[in-house]
């Protein structure tokens, strides 16, 4: 076997300048080759823990994984990590290339030691098949052909393994899943729906069920580019038309009527956290599932997975490159399948709604029983946020409004400053005028509440007696005391009120020269000096849910 000394084969896939300078793989590189038996796409993924998310990207579409292990060092922590991630991503066939056998003089005991050490762990990955192959990559030993330097090894070369490893069932053999990506209006005016077939196949004349409407329609035509075809299968990109005019949009899903997806607002999933900012429970995220975005929150972190033992450890923290078992509540239903059954409809990513950066990749393991919905049957609720100026009333109420609105509830936000500028612009800041202002806000809240709306009121409303008067009038009422000390509010001073009061420019400022009477027994108290916005928001949402829960049970029995 000829020597290839002097050739750095890593440069075939390490194309980034930083990769060549540091001698490590950072990003995923794809290379293509074929043999008379098969065509291959190789995704060269990084090994360093810092780039775990890149490794997961490369593994997400793979059928088999090649794990490189140094014959001198054995399996390292990242080897276990990558095996677990690959397994969680649906890979069941592993080739362990025990490399650098030349540096241990091709000794069989060194090879068997690695096989014994790592093989015991891989055996715990349910459903996996493993082949250990001793290699010397630069010289090609057991890479494309069997090596004479390992006469004790009777297994296949790496290429022989890849040519014969079973391939998982093709996506076109699974039930139909066709997420709509784009609605087209050609010149003839006929509406067409374009996208990539995620799984299964469809033919002209087939019936399909459309989600979320659950309507059934028949396929009128199928096109690949501009060519009419009778049928198409995953993973082709196509456009279709329906015999019935149905209003579809991006994110809708066409499915096999005999094998529909699961419809759920609450899923159990495994998350690979990819952000430097740790997971925040109950914080609103965007969840991208197929071609659809919904608001969602992680409502429970059940455990983190130890990648070396697969054991589940309790934790309240999920950091970058950690794997967590979670429950996620979505504000609108997902139409999904377990990841083990469908890699497309069983996968999702979490996205930061502000920065639009990807935070995590997730694999759905199943549907959870949904929480009791907040939506009231006949009557609404007033949630009254009171506290000093700059305590955080508007910030929290807006966050709660966003969550409730995204869930599809009838919700209105009455902000004290806005009411002052419009409905109460004739009022001053005497006690009588302040009380009249609160009564006007309370009247609007009462009317909305009576008509089934969740009303969020954000107003200083400094006097206890008038708040109690409004509570008694409305009845369906929760008081939120946004508690922040005066010195903290003055530090924030979002509107410059305190600065102007201290300078003598404003009189009768609550907390400075006019009193604030805190609630004696509010239903919710948010300490914004020591709570995060997500914690305060979750506290208010929980109270709203608990308020509606017994009333729903009562209505169900009436």
């Amino acid at each position: 076997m000829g020597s290839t000394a002097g050739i750095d084969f890593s440069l075939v896939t390490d194309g980034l300048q930083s990769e060549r300078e540091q001698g490590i793989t950072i990003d995923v590189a794809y290379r293509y080759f074929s043999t008379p038996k098969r065509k291959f796409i190789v995704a060269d993924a990084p090994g360093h823990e810092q780039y775990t998310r890149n490794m997961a990207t490369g593994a997400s579409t793979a059928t088999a994984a090649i794990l490189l292990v140094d014959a001198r060092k054995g399996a390292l922590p990242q080897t276990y990590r990558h095996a677990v991630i690959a397994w969680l991503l649906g890979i069941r066939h592993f080739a362990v290339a025990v490399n650098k056998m030349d540096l241990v003089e091709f000794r069989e005991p060194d090879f068997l030691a690695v096989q014994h050490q790592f093989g015991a762990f891989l055996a715990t990955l349910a459903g996996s098949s493993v082949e250990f192959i001793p290699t010397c990559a630069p010289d090609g030993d057991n890479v494309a052909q069997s090596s004479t330097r390992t006469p004790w090894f009777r297994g296949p070369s790496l290429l022989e393994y890849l040519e014969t490893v079973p391939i998982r069932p093709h996506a076109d053999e699974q039930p139909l899943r066709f997420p709509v990506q784009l609605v087209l209006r050609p010149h003839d005016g006929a509406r067409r729906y374009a996208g990539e077939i995620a799984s299964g196949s469809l033919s002209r004349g087939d019936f399909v069920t459309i989600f979320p409407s659950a309507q059934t329609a028949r396929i009128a035509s199928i096109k690949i580019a501009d060519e009419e075809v009778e049928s198409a299968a995953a993973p082709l990109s196509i456009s279709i038309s329906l015999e019935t005019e149905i209003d579809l949009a991006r994110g809708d899903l066409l499915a096999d009527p005999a094998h529909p997806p699961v419809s759920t607002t609450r899923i159990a999933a495994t998350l690979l956290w990819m952000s430097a900012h740790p997971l925040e429970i109950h914080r609103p995220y965007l969840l991208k599932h197929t071609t659809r975005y919904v608001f969602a929150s992680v409502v429970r972190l059940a455990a983190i997975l130890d990648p070396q033992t697969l054991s589940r450890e309790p934790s309240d923290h999920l950091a970058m490159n950690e794997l967590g078992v979670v429950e996620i509540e979505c504000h609108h239903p997902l139409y999904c399948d377990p990841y083990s059954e469908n890699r497309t409809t069983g996968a999702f990513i979490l996205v930061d709604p502000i920065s639009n950066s990807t935070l995590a990749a997730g694999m759905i393991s199943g549907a959870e029983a949904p929480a009791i919905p907040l939506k009231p049957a006949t009557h609404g609720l007033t949630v009254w946020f009171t506290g000093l100026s700059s305590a955080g009333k508007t910030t929290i109420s807006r966050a709660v409004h966003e969550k409730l609105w995204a869930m599809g509830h009838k919700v209105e936000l009455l902000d004290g400053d806005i009411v002052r500028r419009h409905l109460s612009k004739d009022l001053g800041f005497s006690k009588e005028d302040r009380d009249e202002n609160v009564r006007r806000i309370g009247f609007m809240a009462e009317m909305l509440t009576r008509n089934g709306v969740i009303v969020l009121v954000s107003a200083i409303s400094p006097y206890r007696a008038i708040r109690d008067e409004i509570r008694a009038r409305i009845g369906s009422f929760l008081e939120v005391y946004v508690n922040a000390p005066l010195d903290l509010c003055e530090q924030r001073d979002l509107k410059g009120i305190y600065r102007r009061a201290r300078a003598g420019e404003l009189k009768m400022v609550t907390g400075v020269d006019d009193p604030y009477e805190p609630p004696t027994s509010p239903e919710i108290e948010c300490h914004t000096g020591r709570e995060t916005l997500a914690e305060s928001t979750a506290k208010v949402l929980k109270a709203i849910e608990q308020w509606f829960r017994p009333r729903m049970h009562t209505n169900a029995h009436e």
Side-chain angles (χ1 to χ4, degrees), residues 383-514:
V383 184
W384 195 285
F385 295 79
T386 177
L388 293 172
S389 178
S390 296
K393 301 181 300 300
T394 300
T395 302
I396 300 172
S397 60
R398 284 177 177 171
V400 172
H401 179 275
E402 180 183 272
K403 293 276 285 186
L404 294 174
W405 179 84
M407 293 178 192
H409 301 297
K410 294 166 64 176
V411 57
E412 289 290 344
L413 176 58
L414 300 180
D415 184 272
D417 289 341
I418 296 175
V419 174
R420 271 279 182 185
R421 288 199 298 269
H422 298 279
L423 189 63
S424 298
K425 61 183 179 181
D426 59 318
L427 299 178
F429 291 90
S430 67
K431 184 180 186 306
E432 292 74 18
D433 282 356
R434 288 178 189 266
D435 285 350
E436 176 59 24
N437 178 55
V438 170
R439 285 193 182 95
R440 292 180 184 181
I441 297 173
F443 177 77
M444 288 190 292
E446 181 185 6
M447 296 297 292
L448 291 167
T449 300
R450 190 182 302 166
N451 286 278
V453 178
I454 301 175
V455 187
L456 309 177
V457 175
S458 171
I460 295 173
S461 45
Y463 307 122
R464 191 178 301 121
I466 189 64
R467 295 196 306 266
D468 291 343
E469 176 186 317
I470 300 301
R471 174 195 288 271
R473 179 192 301 168
I474 295 176
S476 301
F477 191 94
L478 294 178
E479 191 170 35
V480 183
Y481 176 27
V482 183
N483 187 350
L486 179 61
D487 59 347
L488 177 60
C489 295
E490 292 202 50
Q491 289 175 29
R492 295 170 177 168
D493 202 9
L494 302 176
K495 304 164 190 171
I497 291 175
Y498 295 111
R499 177 183 54 78
R500 295 175 64 195
R502 298 301 184 189
E505 298 175 12
L506 289 180
K507 299 296 183 183
M508 303 186 70
V509 172
T510 302
V512 178
D513 55 358
D514 205 62

Side-chain angles (χ1 to χ4, degrees), residues 3 35 42 90 100 122-123 146 157 188 194 200 204 249 251 302 327 366 392 400 418 489 528 531 554:
S3 173
T35 70
V42 177
K100 301 184 179 180
L122 293 176
S146 297
S157 68
D188 59 9
R204 189 164 61 87
E327 289 180 20
V400 172
I418 296 175
C489 295
T528 58
E531 293 175 2
T554 300

